[in-house]
Amino acid sequence: MRIIMCLLVLLCVCSAHAQDSLQVPKGVVLFKATEEQMEKAKLSLLRELNATTASYQLFNGIAFIGPRLWGRYGTDASASRIQQGDMTIRVPQFTNGRRTGTKEVKGKVLQSPADFKTVWDILLRDLDGKEAKLRLPTADELNYYWSIISFDIKSPVLVIETPGYNVLVDMSGNTAKVYWMEEV
């Protein structure tokens, strides 16, 4: 019994440390989620990343697809049929630590459950039946995400590791719904 209690305490400490171990780069504003919000987001994502249990319930009326991920998904035959929601993002460009200008890149704003399902199905296809791995974003991933958005980050923010690339998913606030997705 004593061993079980020790293991439970260790699990709680490690779980609490996982959120605290999120390294937020200087200049990036991130409001951390509660442990309950993080757990809810993880469970929702894991359920939806399994092709047999996916119910496409992570859509909340609008979801942004960042330029890297849209560059990957937008060429897919099914995604290329999404007509509405084109967006242009001005990403700052730096040389030797100094801002040298901006670069315009294209993303997508998903505005219907059908469009969200189309994009989510591409992600499921790319997972190819493998179990999804979730983790906290690295400092570099947060820095990149911060550079393409114009708002403060409200966790839960998690990264889905696929066999060929990683997807940052911002599930802002306590809704456990996808707000923004981007390849990192």
Side-chain angles (χ1 to χ4, degrees):
M1 182 62 141
R2 193 171 195 187
I3 292 174
I4 292 173
M5 290 301 288
C6 289
L7 288 174
L8 285 173
V9 168
L10 181 63
L11 179 65
C12 289
V13 168
C14 289
S15 178
H17 179 68
Q19 177 75 0
D20 291 338
S21 67
L22 182 63
Q23 300 298 313
V24 181
K26 184 179 180 180
V28 172
V29 178
L30 183 139
F31 298 98
K32 291 183 178 179
T34 65
E35 285 300 315
E36 183 180 319
Q37 289 170 323
M38 288 299 289
E39 261 328 288
K40 183 178 178 182
K42 287 177 189 177
L43 290 173
S44 295
L45 269 176
L46 288 172
R47 183 183 61 249
E48 294 299 318
L49 289 168
N50 181 325
T52 59
T53 58
S55 61
Y56 308 96
Q57 297 301 309
L58 295 178
F59 184 67
N60 199 30
I62 192 167
F64 295 87
I65 307 300
R68 288 181 183 169
L69 191 60
W70 187 247
R72 176 182 294 277
Y73 287 1
T75 59
D76 185 277
S78 58
S80 66
R81 290 192 289 270
I82 299 173
Q83 296 297 310
Q84 297 178 339
D86 293 338
M87 72 173 172
T88 302
I89 301 170
R90 290 187 177 95
V91 179
Q93 301 295 294
F94 296 89
T95 304
N96 298 325
R98 295 186 64 219
R99 185 175 174 163
T100 57
T102 58
K103 177 181 177 182
E104 290 190 353
V105 291
K106 302 292 182 193
K108 199 65 150 175
V109 182
L110 305 178
Q111 302 171 62
S112 75
D115 291 347
F116 181 80
K117 183 181 183 308
T118 296
V119 168
W120 200 259
D121 282 343
I122 296 169
L123 178 60
L124 291 177
R125 181 193 67 210
D126 288 353
L127 280 170
D128 194 28
K130 294 175 181 65
E131 184 177 333
K133 294 180 184 167
L134 299 178
R135 63 172 172 78
L136 294 173
T138 65
D140 286 343
E141 290 166 341
L142 280 174
N143 215 18
Y144 166 70
Y145 180 48
W146 178 255
S147 77
I148 65 167
I149 61 174
S150 59
F151 51 85
D152 297 340
I153 302 170
K154 295 178 185 162
S155 191
V157 177
L158 295 162
V159 173
I160 304 166
E161 294 183 348
T162 75
Y165 59 99
N166 297 327
V167 178
L168 180 143
V169 179
D170 183 339
M171 301 175 81
S172 290
N174 59 7
T175 63
K177 305 287 186 183
V178 172
Y179 181 69
W180 193 290
M181 293 171 55
E182 175 60 321
E183 183 174 343
V184 290

